[in-house]
Amino acid sequence: MNTSPAFRPLPSLAGARAESVPGLRLQKLRRAALDAREAFVKEGPVAAVATCDLVTFPYPAQFAFSGAALSPAPYAMLTNRMQVVQFVDREGARRTLLFNPSDYERGVSAPFYRALRERYGAIVSDKVMSTRHGSVQSHLAALGLTPADVDYLAFDHLHIQDLRGWLGGDGMPACFPRARLLVQRAEWEVVMDLHPMQAVWFVPGGADIPRERVVLLDGDVWLGQGAALLSTPGHTRGNMSLAVATSREVFVTSENGVATESYTPLQSAIPGVRRFAEHMGWEVVLNGNTREDSLAQYSSMVVEKLFAGTSTVDGAFVNFHPSSQLTAHVMAPGLSPTVVLPAPNFGDVRPTPASRRAA
Protein backbone atom coordinates (compact mmCIF):
# COMPACT_ATOMS: atom_id res chain seq x y z
CA MET A 1 0.00 0.00 0.00
CA ASN A 2 1.01 3.61 -0.52
CA THR A 3 0.52 6.86 1.30
CA SER A 4 1.02 10.25 -0.29
CA PRO A 5 2.67 13.10 1.61
CA ALA A 6 1.44 15.52 -1.06
CA PHE A 7 -2.11 15.33 0.27
CA ARG A 8 -3.30 17.17 3.35
CA PRO A 9 -6.50 16.91 5.35
CA LEU A 10 -9.39 19.25 4.78
CA PRO A 11 -10.01 21.17 8.02
CA SER A 12 -13.05 20.97 10.29
CA LEU A 13 -14.93 17.87 9.15
CA ALA A 14 -12.93 15.15 10.91
CA GLY A 15 -13.64 16.53 14.36
CA ALA A 16 -17.37 16.68 13.71
CA ARG A 17 -17.43 13.07 12.53
CA ALA A 18 -15.91 11.94 15.81
CA GLU A 19 -19.18 12.76 17.62
CA SER A 20 -20.79 9.44 18.56
CA VAL A 21 -24.43 10.59 18.83
CA PRO A 22 -25.92 10.71 15.29
CA GLY A 23 -28.14 13.75 15.87
CA LEU A 24 -25.35 15.77 17.45
CA ARG A 25 -22.96 14.60 14.75
CA LEU A 26 -25.26 16.00 12.07
CA GLN A 27 -25.47 19.34 13.86
CA LYS A 28 -21.68 19.56 14.07
CA LEU A 29 -21.25 18.45 10.47
CA ARG A 30 -23.49 21.28 9.27
CA ARG A 31 -21.21 23.89 10.81
CA ALA A 32 -18.04 22.05 9.81
CA ALA A 33 -19.13 21.69 6.17
CA LEU A 34 -19.59 25.45 5.81
CA ASP A 35 -16.22 26.16 7.47
CA ALA A 36 -14.47 23.60 5.25
CA ARG A 37 -16.11 25.03 2.14
CA GLU A 38 -14.94 28.53 3.00
CA ALA A 39 -11.34 27.38 3.43
CA PHE A 40 -11.54 25.32 0.23
CA VAL A 41 -12.81 28.19 -1.92
CA LYS A 42 -10.25 30.66 -0.57
CA GLU A 43 -7.37 28.73 -2.12
CA GLY A 44 -8.65 29.33 -5.63
CA PRO A 45 -9.97 27.32 -8.55
CA VAL A 46 -8.94 23.98 -9.97
CA ALA A 47 -6.83 24.00 -13.13
CA ALA A 48 -9.42 22.14 -15.21
CA VAL A 49 -12.28 19.66 -15.06
CA ALA A 50 -14.11 17.90 -17.89
CA THR A 51 -17.18 15.65 -17.56
CA CYS A 52 -17.61 12.66 -19.86
CA ASP A 53 -20.71 10.47 -20.22
CA LEU A 54 -19.89 6.76 -20.20
CA VAL A 55 -23.01 4.56 -20.17
CA THR A 56 -26.73 4.76 -19.43
CA PHE A 57 -27.99 1.70 -17.56
CA PRO A 58 -31.03 0.41 -15.61
CA TYR A 59 -31.22 0.71 -11.85
CA PRO A 60 -34.04 -0.49 -9.57
CA ALA A 61 -36.57 2.32 -9.17
CA GLN A 62 -37.26 1.26 -5.59
CA PHE A 63 -33.68 2.12 -4.66
CA ALA A 64 -33.26 5.39 -6.58
CA PHE A 65 -35.35 7.47 -4.17
CA SER A 66 -35.62 5.01 -1.27
CA GLY A 67 -39.02 3.86 -2.51
CA ALA A 68 -40.48 7.38 -2.66
CA ALA A 69 -40.93 7.68 -6.44
CA LEU A 70 -44.26 6.46 -7.82
CA SER A 71 -43.85 4.83 -11.23
CA PRO A 72 -44.97 1.60 -12.91
CA ALA A 73 -41.43 1.17 -14.23
CA PRO A 74 -39.24 -1.35 -12.39
CA TYR A 75 -36.11 0.53 -13.37
CA ALA A 76 -34.90 4.10 -13.40
CA MET A 77 -32.26 4.93 -15.98
CA LEU A 78 -28.96 6.37 -14.79
CA THR A 79 -26.03 7.75 -16.78
CA ASN A 80 -22.61 7.04 -15.32
CA ARG A 81 -20.19 9.94 -15.80
CA MET A 82 -16.43 10.39 -15.42
CA GLN A 83 -14.68 13.59 -14.39
CA VAL A 84 -11.19 14.33 -15.68
CA VAL A 85 -9.68 16.69 -13.11
CA GLN A 86 -6.38 18.53 -13.33
CA PHE A 87 -5.06 20.28 -10.23
CA VAL A 88 -1.81 21.78 -8.99
CA ASP A 89 -0.52 19.87 -5.98
CA ARG A 90 1.49 21.15 -3.01
CA GLU A 91 4.72 20.60 -4.91
CA GLY A 92 3.57 22.80 -7.77
CA ALA A 93 3.03 19.96 -10.24
CA ARG A 94 -0.07 19.70 -12.39
CA ARG A 95 -1.68 16.29 -11.79
CA THR A 96 -4.45 14.40 -13.57
CA LEU A 97 -7.18 12.48 -11.73
CA LEU A 98 -9.88 10.36 -13.31
CA PHE A 99 -12.90 10.24 -11.02
CA ASN A 100 -15.23 7.30 -11.71
CA PRO A 101 -13.53 5.92 -14.84
CA SER A 102 -15.86 2.91 -14.91
CA ASP A 103 -14.82 -0.08 -16.99
CA TYR A 104 -18.43 -0.84 -17.87
CA GLU A 105 -17.46 -3.73 -20.15
CA ARG A 106 -16.26 -5.64 -17.08
CA GLY A 107 -18.68 -4.09 -14.61
CA VAL A 108 -21.57 -6.21 -15.90
CA SER A 109 -19.91 -9.15 -14.12
CA ALA A 110 -21.27 -7.88 -10.79
CA PRO A 111 -23.86 -10.46 -9.68
CA PHE A 112 -26.82 -8.05 -9.84
CA TYR A 113 -26.13 -7.05 -13.44
CA ARG A 114 -25.05 -10.51 -14.49
CA ALA A 115 -28.43 -11.83 -13.33
CA LEU A 116 -30.21 -8.97 -15.11
CA ARG A 117 -28.42 -9.82 -18.33
CA GLU A 118 -29.33 -13.49 -17.99
CA ARG A 119 -32.98 -12.54 -17.43
CA TYR A 120 -33.38 -10.19 -20.39
CA GLY A 121 -30.73 -11.50 -22.78
CA ALA A 122 -27.78 -9.79 -24.45
CA ILE A 123 -29.72 -7.94 -27.16
CA VAL A 124 -32.26 -6.31 -24.83
CA SER A 125 -29.60 -5.63 -22.17
CA ASP A 126 -27.11 -4.06 -24.60
CA LYS A 127 -29.34 -2.40 -27.18
CA VAL A 128 -32.54 -1.46 -25.35
CA MET A 129 -31.78 -1.14 -21.64
CA SER A 130 -28.37 0.50 -21.96
CA THR A 131 -26.63 3.08 -24.13
CA ARG A 132 -22.88 3.42 -24.44
CA HIS A 133 -21.73 7.00 -24.91
CA GLY A 134 -17.97 6.49 -25.00
CA SER A 135 -15.21 4.58 -23.29
CA VAL A 136 -12.70 5.96 -20.82
CA GLN A 137 -9.99 5.66 -23.46
CA SER A 138 -12.00 7.38 -26.20
CA HIS A 139 -12.86 10.31 -23.95
CA LEU A 140 -9.21 10.73 -22.95
CA ALA A 141 -8.17 10.72 -26.60
CA ALA A 142 -10.79 13.38 -27.40
CA LEU A 143 -9.25 15.54 -24.65
CA GLY A 144 -5.75 15.06 -26.07
CA LEU A 145 -4.62 12.74 -23.26
CA THR A 146 -3.22 9.24 -23.19
CA PRO A 147 -3.37 6.71 -20.32
CA ALA A 148 0.22 7.66 -19.51
CA ASP A 149 -0.94 11.17 -18.59
CA VAL A 150 -3.05 9.91 -15.68
CA ASP A 151 -1.63 10.14 -12.14
CA TYR A 152 -4.61 8.93 -10.09
CA LEU A 153 -7.83 7.00 -10.40
CA ALA A 154 -10.60 7.31 -7.82
CA PHE A 155 -14.22 6.18 -7.51
CA ASP A 156 -16.92 7.47 -5.22
CA HIS A 157 -17.38 3.80 -4.29
CA LEU A 158 -16.44 0.43 -5.75
CA HIS A 159 -19.83 -1.01 -6.70
CA ILE A 160 -19.63 -2.75 -10.11
CA GLN A 161 -15.99 -1.73 -10.58
CA ASP A 162 -13.35 -4.06 -12.03
CA LEU A 163 -9.98 -2.40 -11.49
CA ARG A 164 -7.80 -5.08 -13.05
CA GLY A 165 -7.98 -3.79 -16.61
CA TRP A 166 -6.91 -0.32 -15.49
CA LEU A 167 -4.22 -1.16 -12.91
CA GLY A 168 -3.20 -4.73 -13.75
CA GLY A 169 -3.60 -7.93 -11.84
CA ASP A 170 -4.89 -11.46 -12.35
CA GLY A 171 -2.80 -11.74 -15.49
CA MET A 172 -4.19 -8.57 -17.06
CA PRO A 173 -1.88 -5.81 -18.31
CA ALA A 174 -2.44 -2.34 -16.88
CA CYS A 175 -4.04 0.21 -19.19
CA PHE A 176 -2.75 3.07 -17.01
CA PRO A 177 1.01 2.61 -16.56
CA ARG A 178 1.55 5.32 -13.93
CA ALA A 179 -1.75 5.73 -12.14
CA ARG A 180 -2.47 4.84 -8.52
CA LEU A 181 -5.85 4.19 -6.99
CA LEU A 182 -7.06 6.59 -4.30
CA VAL A 183 -9.55 4.80 -2.06
CA GLN A 184 -10.85 5.21 1.46
CA ARG A 185 -9.42 2.62 3.82
CA ALA A 186 -12.96 1.76 4.96
CA GLU A 187 -13.99 1.00 1.36
CA TRP A 188 -10.95 -1.15 0.72
CA GLU A 189 -11.49 -3.17 3.88
CA VAL A 190 -15.12 -3.84 2.89
CA VAL A 191 -14.12 -5.02 -0.59
CA MET A 192 -11.49 -7.35 0.81
CA ASP A 193 -14.05 -9.20 2.97
CA LEU A 194 -17.58 -8.72 1.65
CA HIS A 195 -20.73 -9.45 3.60
CA PRO A 196 -23.30 -11.50 1.62
CA MET A 197 -25.69 -8.52 1.56
CA GLN A 198 -22.98 -6.40 -0.09
CA ALA A 199 -21.58 -8.93 -2.55
CA VAL A 200 -24.32 -8.59 -5.19
CA TRP A 201 -22.98 -5.14 -6.17
CA PHE A 202 -19.28 -6.00 -6.44
CA VAL A 203 -17.40 -7.65 -9.31
CA PRO A 204 -15.82 -10.90 -8.04
CA GLY A 205 -12.06 -10.37 -7.94
CA GLY A 206 -12.43 -6.82 -9.26
CA ALA A 207 -10.04 -5.43 -6.64
CA ASP A 208 -7.29 -8.03 -7.17
CA ILE A 209 -4.70 -5.48 -8.23
CA PRO A 210 -1.07 -4.94 -7.17
CA ARG A 211 -1.10 -3.45 -3.67
CA GLU A 212 1.67 -0.99 -4.48
CA ARG A 213 -0.80 0.78 -6.76
CA VAL A 214 -3.27 1.46 -3.95
CA VAL A 215 -3.21 4.65 -1.86
CA LEU A 216 -5.38 4.31 1.24
CA LEU A 217 -7.09 7.47 2.49
CA ASP A 218 -8.39 8.09 5.99
CA GLY A 219 -11.02 10.77 5.66
CA ASP A 220 -11.09 14.00 3.64
CA VAL A 221 -8.07 14.95 1.54
CA TRP A 222 -7.17 18.18 -0.19
CA LEU A 223 -5.61 16.99 -3.44
CA GLY A 224 -4.48 20.42 -4.56
CA GLN A 225 -5.83 23.83 -5.40
CA GLY A 226 -9.54 23.55 -6.12
CA ALA A 227 -9.78 19.76 -5.78
CA ALA A 228 -10.67 17.59 -2.79
CA LEU A 229 -12.09 14.19 -1.92
CA LEU A 230 -14.65 14.30 0.88
CA SER A 231 -15.30 11.29 3.06
CA THR A 232 -19.07 10.81 2.69
CA PRO A 233 -19.89 7.35 4.05
CA GLY A 234 -23.34 5.93 3.61
CA HIS A 235 -24.03 4.56 0.14
CA THR A 236 -21.05 2.39 1.02
CA ARG A 237 -18.95 2.38 4.18
CA GLY A 238 -16.08 4.12 2.35
CA ASN A 239 -18.06 6.34 -0.02
CA MET A 240 -16.37 9.60 -0.99
CA SER A 241 -17.26 12.65 -3.04
CA LEU A 242 -15.31 14.76 -5.48
CA ALA A 243 -15.36 18.49 -4.73
CA VAL A 244 -14.11 20.90 -7.38
CA ALA A 245 -13.95 24.69 -7.12
CA THR A 246 -14.06 26.85 -10.23
CA SER A 247 -13.86 30.63 -10.36
CA ARG A 248 -17.68 30.79 -9.99
CA GLU A 249 -18.91 27.83 -7.94
CA VAL A 250 -18.22 24.51 -6.24
CA PHE A 251 -19.25 21.20 -7.77
CA VAL A 252 -19.79 18.09 -5.64
CA THR A 253 -20.17 14.63 -7.16
CA SER A 254 -21.03 11.19 -5.74
CA GLU A 255 -23.75 8.53 -5.85
CA ASN A 256 -25.29 9.14 -2.43
CA GLY A 257 -28.10 10.69 -4.47
CA VAL A 258 -29.17 9.86 -8.03
CA ALA A 259 -30.44 13.34 -8.94
CA THR A 260 -29.81 16.95 -8.05
CA GLU A 261 -33.33 17.02 -6.58
CA SER A 262 -32.38 14.24 -4.16
CA TYR A 263 -30.87 17.13 -2.17
CA THR A 264 -33.90 19.42 -2.50
CA PRO A 265 -36.81 16.93 -2.61
CA LEU A 266 -39.42 19.62 -1.94
CA GLN A 267 -38.54 20.98 -5.40
CA SER A 268 -39.02 17.59 -7.09
CA ALA A 269 -41.71 17.06 -9.72
CA ILE A 270 -41.21 13.29 -9.71
CA PRO A 271 -44.48 11.79 -8.45
CA GLY A 272 -44.23 10.80 -4.80
CA VAL A 273 -40.84 12.30 -3.93
CA ARG A 274 -42.03 15.61 -2.48
CA ARG A 275 -44.87 13.97 -0.53
CA PHE A 276 -42.49 11.36 0.88
CA ALA A 277 -39.99 14.00 2.02
CA GLU A 278 -42.73 16.07 3.62
CA HIS A 279 -44.21 13.04 5.39
CA MET A 280 -40.85 11.84 6.70
CA GLY A 281 -39.48 15.31 7.47
CA TRP A 282 -36.36 14.59 5.39
CA GLU A 283 -34.34 17.32 3.69
CA VAL A 284 -32.59 14.79 1.41
CA VAL A 285 -33.73 11.50 -0.14
CA LEU A 286 -31.19 8.70 -0.20
CA ASN A 287 -30.07 6.45 -3.02
CA GLY A 288 -31.08 3.43 -0.97
CA ASN A 289 -29.68 0.19 -2.39
CA THR A 290 -27.58 -0.34 0.75
CA ARG A 291 -29.17 0.24 4.14
CA GLU A 292 -26.49 -0.60 6.68
CA ASP A 293 -25.35 3.02 7.05
CA SER A 294 -28.45 5.08 6.29
CA LEU A 295 -27.95 7.56 9.15
CA ALA A 296 -24.40 8.22 7.96
CA GLN A 297 -25.61 8.57 4.36
CA TYR A 298 -28.21 11.17 5.31
CA SER A 299 -25.58 13.18 7.19
CA SER A 300 -23.11 12.84 4.31
CA MET A 301 -25.70 14.15 1.88
CA VAL A 302 -26.21 17.20 4.10
CA VAL A 303 -22.43 17.75 4.02
CA GLU A 304 -22.43 17.43 0.22
CA LYS A 305 -25.36 19.84 -0.03
CA LEU A 306 -23.76 22.51 2.14
CA PHE A 307 -20.30 22.11 0.64
CA ALA A 308 -21.66 22.49 -2.91
CA GLY A 309 -23.88 25.48 -2.18
CA THR A 310 -26.64 26.66 -4.49
CA SER A 311 -26.37 26.40 -8.26
CA THR A 312 -25.53 29.59 -10.11
CA VAL A 313 -27.81 28.37 -12.91
CA ASP A 314 -30.90 27.69 -10.78
CA GLY A 315 -30.83 28.92 -7.19
CA ALA A 316 -33.67 26.58 -6.18
CA PHE A 317 -31.26 23.64 -6.43
CA VAL A 318 -27.87 22.83 -4.96
CA ASN A 319 -24.82 22.28 -7.14
CA PHE A 320 -24.69 18.53 -6.65
CA HIS A 321 -23.99 16.37 -9.71
CA PRO A 322 -24.65 12.64 -9.35
CA SER A 323 -21.89 10.38 -10.61
CA SER A 324 -24.72 8.20 -11.96
CA GLN A 325 -27.37 10.72 -12.94
CA LEU A 326 -31.09 10.09 -13.33
CA THR A 327 -31.85 10.23 -17.05
CA ALA A 328 -35.14 10.64 -18.91
CA HIS A 329 -36.00 7.48 -20.81
CA VAL A 330 -39.04 5.99 -22.54
CA MET A 331 -38.66 2.86 -20.40
CA ALA A 332 -38.90 4.86 -17.17
CA PRO A 333 -42.18 6.84 -17.20
CA GLY A 334 -42.50 9.31 -14.35
CA LEU A 335 -38.81 9.04 -13.52
CA SER A 336 -37.41 11.99 -15.46
CA PRO A 337 -35.29 14.51 -13.53
CA THR A 338 -36.92 17.82 -12.62
CA VAL A 339 -33.72 19.66 -13.46
CA VAL A 340 -30.43 18.75 -15.14
CA LEU A 341 -27.70 21.24 -14.31
CA PRO A 342 -24.84 21.88 -16.74
CA ALA A 343 -22.14 19.27 -16.17
CA PRO A 344 -18.92 20.25 -14.39
CA ASN A 345 -16.58 21.67 -17.03
CA PHE A 346 -13.97 24.34 -16.46
CA GLY A 347 -10.58 25.33 -17.87
CA ASP A 348 -8.55 23.39 -20.44
CA VAL A 349 -7.51 19.80 -19.83
CA ARG A 350 -4.08 19.21 -21.38
CA PRO A 351 -1.07 16.91 -21.20
CA THR A 352 1.49 17.91 -18.59
CA PRO A 353 5.26 17.96 -19.15
CA ALA A 354 5.87 15.88 -16.03
CA SER A 355 3.59 13.09 -17.16
CA ARG A 356 5.06 13.07 -20.65
CA ARG A 357 8.61 12.79 -19.27
CA ALA A 358 7.61 9.98 -16.95
CA ALA A 359 5.91 8.12 -19.77
Side-chain angles (χ1 to χ4, degrees), residues 220-283:
D220 316 290
V221 293
W222 208 328
L223 300 174
Q225 182 174 311
L229 294 173
L230 308 178
S231 174
T232 52
H235 185 63
T236 62
R237 187 65 54 87
N239 199 87
M240 62 182 179
S241 307
L242 172 69
V244 170
T246 72
S247 57
R248 298 178 64 241
E249 55 194 337
V250 175
F251 295 99
V252 175
T253 297
S254 87
E255 204 176 298
N256 274 324
V258 301
T260 299
E261 64 209 81
S262 299
Y263 293 77
T264 51
L266 299 185
Q267 304 297 325
S268 178
I270 295 174
V273 172
R274 176 175 179 172
R275 178 177 294 183
F276 175 84
E278 288 176 334
H279 177 71
M280 298 298 292
W282 290 8
E283 67 179 282

Side-chain angles (χ1 to χ4, degrees), residues 135-149:
S135 67
V136 172
Q137 297 95 320
S138 68
H139 282 303
L140 287 178
L143 291 168
L145 302 179
T146 70
D149 290 309

Side-chain angles (χ1 to χ4, degrees), residues 44-337:
V46 74
V49 58
T51 297
C52 309
D53 289 353
L54 294 175
V55 61
T56 299
F57 62 96
Y59 185 71
Q62 63 179 323
F63 296 149
F65 292 94
S66 293
L70 302 177
S71 171
Y75 301 107
M77 304 302 288
L78 307 183
T79 298
N80 181 242
R81 304 189 296 178
M82 170 180 72
Q83 271 80 37
V84 181
V85 184
Q86 292 193 324
F87 59 89
V88 177
D89 67 15
R90 295 178 68 185
E91 299 168 352
R94 186 172 175 129
R95 303 293 185 187
T96 301
L97 163 74
L98 303 187
F99 191 69
N100 288 322
S102 296
D103 187 350
Y104 54 75
E105 297 280 3
R106 298 185 184 278
V108 295
S109 296
F112 179 86
Y113 284 101
R114 186 177 66 241
L116 206 64
R117 187 179 178 86
E118 291 171 355
R119 178 180 180 182
Y120 291 104
I123 294 177
V124 172
S125 298
D126 295 342
K127 304 297 183 182
V128 179
M129 298 179 72
S130 64
T131 303
R132 299 177 179 184
H133 306 287
S135 67
V136 172
Q137 297 95 320
S138 68
H139 282 303
L140 287 178
L143 291 168
L145 302 179
T146 70
D149 290 309
V150 178
D151 297 283
Y152 303 109
L153 308 180
F155 300 84
D156 52 1
H157 66 297
L158 294 179
H159 282 173
I160 70 169
Q161 301 302 335
D162 191 333
L163 307 173
R164 293 170 292 185
W166 294 163
L167 296 168
D170 199 23
M172 300 181 193
C175 175
F176 295 96
R178 302 175 46 251
R180 292 185 289 168
L181 175 71
L182 306 180
V183 61
Q184 292 290 330
R185 187 183 303 274
E187 186 78 353
W188 192 252
E189 290 174 347
V190 164
V191 175
M192 292 298 102
D193 195 11
L194 290 170
H195 186 280
M197 290 185 68
Q198 299 167 319
V200 71
W201 299 107
F202 290 89
V203 174
D208 292 342
I209 59 175
R211 295 301 185 261
E212 64 271 13
R213 306 202 69 175
V214 179
V215 179
L216 296 181
L217 307 176
D218 292 297
D220 316 290
V221 293
W222 208 328
L223 300 174
Q225 182 174 311
L229 294 173
L230 308 178
S231 174
T232 52
H235 185 63
T236 62
R237 187 65 54 87
N239 199 87
M240 62 182 179
S241 307
L242 172 69
V244 170
T246 72
S247 57
R248 298 178 64 241
E249 55 194 337
V250 175
F251 295 99
V252 175
T253 297
S254 87
E255 204 176 298
N256 274 324
V258 301
T260 299
E261 64 209 81
S262 299
Y263 293 77
T264 51
L266 299 185
Q267 304 297 325
S268 178
I270 295 174
V273 172
R274 176 175 179 172
R275 178 177 294 183
F276 175 84
E278 288 176 334
H279 177 71
M280 298 298 292
W282 290 8
E283 67 179 282
V284 295
V285 176
L286 284 58
N287 175 14
N289 74 329
T290 52
R291 303 298 177 93
E292 65 265 34
D293 293 309
S294 294
L295 293 181
Q297 186 173 353
Y298 187 103
S299 296
S300 290
M301 292 178 71
V302 172
V303 169
E304 291 172 325
K305 177 178 183 174
L306 294 173
F307 202 95
T310 57
S311 167
T312 59
V313 174
D314 188 335
F317 295 90
V318 298
N319 207 23
F320 177 85
H321 296 258
S323 54
S324 291
Q325 177 167 268
L326 186 69
T327 301
H329 197 279
V330 66
M331 292 184 62
L335 293 172
S336 298

